[in-house]
Amino acid sequence: MKWVELIRVRSSADAIKEAIPTLKEKISEIGQSTNAEETFMAHHALYDGDLSVVVIWNNDSHPFKSREGLLLAEQLQLLGPVDHAVWIPVK
């Protein structure tokens, strides 16, 4: 089953810009140390202070908030409010 873990933080553009290098490392580690199909970051198209981390999973487990996602969400809380959700495709 394919599912998506989406972790979004709302902060200031400056705080996001400063955090991106560290976040790139963390996301790369998630991609290398897990069976995640894909990992990436996305900026909001209109608000420079919004950033999302996306982890796409494709495995036999029931969708859940992964340990890696929970740790990343905790780290992002230092920047601002965080929304951590798990999404599944509509059939």
Side-chain angles (χ1 to χ4, degrees):
M1 168 185 257
K2 190 175 229 179
W3 47 285
V4 176
E5 193 169 5
L6 181 74
I7 306 158
R8 185 185 74 138
V9 63
R10 176 162 279 177
S11 188
S12 69
D14 290 338
I16 294 294
K17 186 176 180 180
E18 186 177 319
I20 284 179
T22 303
L23 289 172
K24 282 183 180 180
E25 288 179 27
K26 297 284 186 191
I27 292 165
S28 178
E29 289 173 14
I30 291 171
Q32 293 173 7
S33 66
T34 68
N35 63 348
E37 188 171 280
E38 185 177 0
T39 58
F40 61 91
M41 285 189 292
H43 277 281
H44 193 285
L46 301 176
Y47 306 109
D48 293 334
D50 280 13
L51 182 79
S52 290
V53 174
V54 181
V55 183
I56 300 174
W57 302 93
N58 193 0
N59 55 38
D60 294 330
S61 69
H62 185 73
F64 64 98
K65 291 181 180 180
S66 70
R67 177 180 145 311
E68 294 81 9
L70 289 166
L71 290 170
L72 188 58
E74 185 177 331
Q75 180 183 355
L76 288 173
Q77 285 179 348
L78 298 173
L79 300 176
V82 171
D83 179 36
H84 183 185
V86 177
W87 296 77
I88 57 173
V90 175
K91 296 183 180 186

